[in-house]
Amino acid sequence: MKSKIILFTALLPLLMVHCQKQDKRETMELKEYKYKNDKRIVYGLDVAIPGPYEAYINDVLVEQNNDPGMHNTLINVNQAVLKSGTYDFRIKVYPTVGEEKGIEPGTLSFLKVGLARYEKIPVGEGAMPDTYKYLQSFPITKIDKPIPFYEVTGKFTVELPYELEGWSKGQDLSKMDQKNYRKKLLLIIRSYGMY
């Protein structure tokens, strides 16, 4: 069993190279993309987080910060959404300096999470003047004793002027017929003269 895992691990880079070559051929045939309108809408989780944190959209890590200080930032969610709709988020907050027993109840009084949106400027980063809107706040449950970490969870809905293919056509390789998958992998390996 170990030898199969080692062989697969050694051959995985070849598979990736082969896939990249296919991608290059397919990118030559890109179709012109048209937005539904001229606005470039950006959605984000507007947060104030006292300490290290991780932010997930539909269980995909979109941002992580291990610095112990206070973080007042907008976590861009557009990177993890493909089209208009409703998405789940989770922000995991960790203890900061001086909280060896866990996050103290008083620390959470500084924690704030909300949803905001703005129109992106045409060139560069930033918001068009007077377009920033705070859409909603998410509740923070109080605690009465130190805990190892704290999670804020919720759902948000976005209305985007585009729809991306992204990973929506991806396949879970673990659900493929393993014999068929093995044959395809061996064909790729043979095409590189490695087997």
Side-chain angles (χ1 to χ4, degrees), residues 16-138:
M16 295 174 121
V17 168
H18 181 72
C19 291
Q20 286 178 341
K21 287 184 179 180
Q22 284 182 337
D23 288 346
K24 287 179 184 174
R25 278 184 254 138
E26 291 172 9
T27 55
M28 300 307 253
E29 301 171 17
L30 286 177
K31 297 174 185 167
E32 183 180 340
Y33 180 80
K34 293 189 177 167
Y35 278 82
K36 295 175 188 172
N37 58 47
D38 292 337
K39 296 178 182 179
R40 303 296 186 256
I41 305 298
V42 175
Y43 284 89
L45 293 172
D46 189 331
V47 298
I49 302 175
Y53 67 91
E54 296 172 348
Y56 298 86
I57 306 297
N58 285 355
D59 292 326
V60 174
L61 180 66
V62 293
E63 188 166 303
Q64 178 178 17
N65 194 321
N66 293 320
D67 294 335
M70 186 70 172
H71 306 283
N72 292 305
T73 188
L74 186 78
I75 300 170
N76 185 326
V77 301
N78 286 45
Q79 61 185 318
V81 297
L82 299 178
K83 59 185 176 181
S84 298
T86 302
Y87 296 87
D88 295 317
F89 79 89
R90 176 171 48 106
I91 297 177
K92 195 170 186 178
V93 182
Y94 295 98
T96 191
V97 175
E99 293 183 323
E100 286 75 25
K101 293 182 180 179
I103 297 175
E104 297 290 336
T107 301
L108 291 184
S109 64
F110 298 102
L111 179 61
K112 309 243 183 305
V113 179
L115 181 69
R117 70 171 259 178
Y118 65 88
E119 283 183 46
K120 185 180 176 301
I121 58 175
V123 178
E125 294 297 319
M128 294 282 287
D130 302 321
T131 62
Y132 188 91
K133 292 183 180 148
Y134 194 85
L135 303 173
Q136 73 182 93
S137 264
F138 296 98

